[in-house]
Amino acid sequence: MSVQKVSAQPTGSRSLRNVRRSRFVSAVAAATIASGLLIGTTACGAGQIAQTADQAPAINGNEIDAGPLALRDVHIVFPKDGSTQAFVDGGPLEMAFLISNGSPDTTDTLEGISFADGSGQVEIEGRRTIGPNQSLRAGEPALLLTTSNEPTDPSEERITVTVTGAPPSLTPGLTVPMVFDFEKAGETTISVPVDAGAILPRQDHPRGVEEAEGEAH
């Protein structure tokens, strides 16, 4: 009769192998769960845009920074009487904007505003210096964004900016490049929108200028 030999293994070695196998299975399971969560999170976020990513400020004007100076809501104001004749005549038209000086210790001065093509004149009435953490406001923004009943901000100077001799490109609904010149921040050019008023439709050529013959109407 043959006797089958059975190799005996130490009990301690078998227990150690079982522990290692258990740890390996647990690690694989944990990695699988983590991968699933990562894929799920990525899938849920794919194609989504943060709610504020494409939000624009509720203003009519353009904005730009010039060093510590922040130019906001820069635009040509539509005449309060609703007439478009001032655009045909090249003015007078009023500009509106807010310039804030974010520097904690440096004062700057608005030395002038001009059209980038060299035409027209821009007259500034009032104090032009902008102290540290102070603001300079011109005109009344369209659509009554501010009212005469609002309390005066002691950190804000108010001036009047009037445009005359403007080029034909200064038309409701379009933009015109203008240059702001500061004593310390230097010159900065910004495309200034022209407010189209409450009822005027947008048009793609200067008002008062006939379209070239043969162009589509």
Side-chain angles (χ1 to χ4, degrees):
M1 184 176 75
S2 61
V3 178
Q4 185 176 4
K5 294 183 178 180
V6 179
S7 59
Q9 294 184 353
T11 304
S13 175
R14 197 181 317 170
S15 299
L16 180 61
R17 182 182 302 174
N18 290 338
V19 170
R20 288 176 178 174
R21 182 180 302 167
S22 177
R23 288 179 179 176
F24 176 76
V25 172
S26 298
V28 171
T32 303
I33 294 174
S35 299
L37 290 175
L38 178 61
I39 294 173
T41 302
T42 305
C44 290
Q48 294 186 6
I49 301 176
Q51 184 176 0
T52 57
D54 289 332
Q55 288 184 352
I59 57 178
N60 289 336
N62 202 353
E63 61 180 56
I64 196 171
D65 292 335
L69 303 179
L71 285 70
R72 297 293 183 264
D73 198 17
V74 184
H75 65 285
I76 303 293
V77 180
F78 193 84
K80 295 179 181 179
D81 62 5
S83 172
T84 60
Q85 188 60 41
F87 293 101
V88 178
D89 297 339
L93 291 161
E94 187 178 7
M95 285 191 71
F97 54 77
L98 176 67
I99 304 174
S100 297
N101 185 359
S103 172
D105 53 19
T106 303
T107 296
D108 210 333
T109 302
L110 175 61
E111 295 192 331
I113 305 173
S114 60
F115 288 97
D117 64 2
S119 63
Q121 298 84 36
V122 181
E123 181 180 354
I124 302 175
E125 299 178 17
R127 185 176 176 181
R128 308 183 190 187
T129 57
I130 316 171
N133 297 317
Q134 304 287 303
S135 298
L136 184 70
R137 184 185 292 277
E140 292 185 12
L143 300 182
L144 300 179
L145 292 180
T146 62
T147 68
S148 58
N149 294 327
E150 289 184 343
T152 302
D153 185 344
S155 69
E156 181 180 283
E157 290 285 342
R158 284 184 176 267
I159 61 176
T160 300
V161 179
T162 305
V163 173
T164 56
S169 57
L170 192 68
T171 299
L174 302 184
T175 62
V176 59
M178 300 187 74
V179 181
F180 281 70
D181 185 15
F182 297 97
E183 180 184 8
K184 294 184 175 67
E187 294 186 351
T188 185
T189 302
I190 180 173
S191 294
V192 179
V194 184
D195 186 51
I199 59 175
L200 283 179
R202 179 187 174 93
Q203 62 180 46
D204 295 325
H205 62 279
R207 195 171 299 278
V209 177
E210 296 295 333
E211 295 184 58
E213 184 177 353
E215 282 188 11
H217 292 276

